[in-house]
C-alpha cells in the first residue's frame, strides 16, 4: 500500500522525537537532508536515495505506519497506548523522549481524601484510554474531559479537579501551582514497524533495526 513501495519511509514528528531520533538514525547510516523546524516540506530526503522521512503529528505516527504509508516510525508509549497498536510491530524501546504519565492536582487539593471519600472527580486529559484504565483499576469514579493540550490550565480555570498528563522536569506543574499525586507509567519512545513492510522489505528494514537495537534502552 501507499508510499515508497520501492524505498523506506520513516514517520517522525517535529521537535523532541525528530531531534532525539537523529543520532539513532545516524548510527544506522541515515541522515535527513533538511530540518523540519526550518523547512516547510513534509517529505524530507535523506543521504540514502531509497530512504525518506515524512513529518507527521506525534499522535499520527502510528496511523501512518499502521496503514503502510510509512514503513517505520517513532512514537511515544503514551501515543501507542492510546492508538492501540493495531498492525504495528514494536521491537525497540529507543529510550528517548523519557517522561512520566502522572495524575496532578492543585497544590491545596487533598486528592487522597477525595479518593477515600469516593468523590466523583473531574479529570481533564488528552489521554482518555490511559486515564480510564488507571482510575477503573483503582475503583475511582471519574468524569473524563478530553483536551488537546495545556492540560495544566484545566484545574486553574475550574474545568477539572485533576489532570492526567506527562511530566518530565516538573517545571510546568510547578509554574502552575500543581503537584503530582500519582505515577501512572514511565514513558519513552518506541520504534514502530509496519508488519507487512517488515516481511516485504526485510533486507532493508532489518539492518536499520539491528543498528537501532544496539542503542536500545535497558
Ligand atoms: P501532538 O503534536 O500530536 O499534539 P505532542 O505535542 O504530545 O503531540 P510532542 O510534544 O512532540 O508531541 O511529544 C512527543 C512525545 O514525546 C510524546 O508522545 C511523549 O511520549 C514525549 N513527551 C511529551 N512531553 C515530554 C516531555 N516534557 N519530556 C520528554 N518527553 C515528552
Ligand atoms: C509536555 C506535557 C507537559 C510538559 C511537561 O508538554 O504535556 O505540559 O511537557 O514537561 P515538564 O515536566 O518538563 O515541564 P509539551 O509537549 O508542550 O512540552 P514542551 O513544553 O516541552 O513542548
Amino acid at each position: 500500500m501507499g508510499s515508497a513501495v520501492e524505498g523506506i519511509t520513516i514517520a517522525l514528528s517535529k521537535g523532541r522525537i525528530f531531534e532525539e531520533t537523529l543520532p539513532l538514525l545516524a548510527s544506522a547510516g541515515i541522515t535527513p537532508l533538511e530540518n523540519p523546524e526550518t523547512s516547510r516540506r513534509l517529505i524530507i530526503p535523506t543521504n540514502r536515495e531509497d530512504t525518506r522521512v515524512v513529518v507527521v503529528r506525534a499522535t499520527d505516527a502510528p496511523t501512518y505506519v499502521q496503514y503502510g504509508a510509512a514503513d517505520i516510525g517513532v512514537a511515544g508509549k503514551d501515543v501507542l497506548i492510546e492508538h492501540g497498536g493495531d498492525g504495528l510491530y514494536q521491537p525497540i524501546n529507543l529510550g528517548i523522549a523519557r517522561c512520566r504519565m502522572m495524575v496532578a492536582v492543585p497544590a491545596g487539593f487533598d486528592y487522597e481524601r477525595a479518593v477515600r471519600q469516593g468523590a466523583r472527580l473531574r479529570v481533564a486529559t488528552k489521554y482518555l484510554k490511559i486515564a480510564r484504565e488507571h482510575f477503573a483499576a483503582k475503583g475511582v469514579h471519574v468524569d473524563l474531559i478530553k483536551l488537546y493540550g495545556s492540560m495544566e490550565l484545566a484545574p486553574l480555570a475550574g474545568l477539572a479537579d485533576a489532570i492526567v498528563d506527562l511530566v518530565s522536569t516538573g517545571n510546568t506543574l510547578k509554574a502552575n501551582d500543581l503537584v503530582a499525586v500519582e505515577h501512572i507509567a514511565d514513558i519513552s519512545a518506541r520504534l514502530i514497524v509496519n508488519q507487512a513492510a517488515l516481511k516485504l522489505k526485510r533486507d532493508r528494514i532489518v539492518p536499520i533495526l539491528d543498528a537501532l537495537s544496539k542503542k536500545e534502552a535497558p
Side-chain angles (χ1 to χ4, degrees), residues 13-17 20 57-60 75-79 97-99 126-127 148 166-169 187-189:
S13 54
K14 281 206 269 197
R16 58 172 66 85
I17 295 274
E20 296 185 34
R57 280 293 289 264
T59 39
D60 291 335
K77 190 176 167 198
D78 50 323
V79 167
R98 282 180 194 263
C99 50
K126 188 160 116 182
Y127 308 98
Y148 293 87
L166 295 170
V167 179
S168 173
T169 60
I187 300 292
S188 58

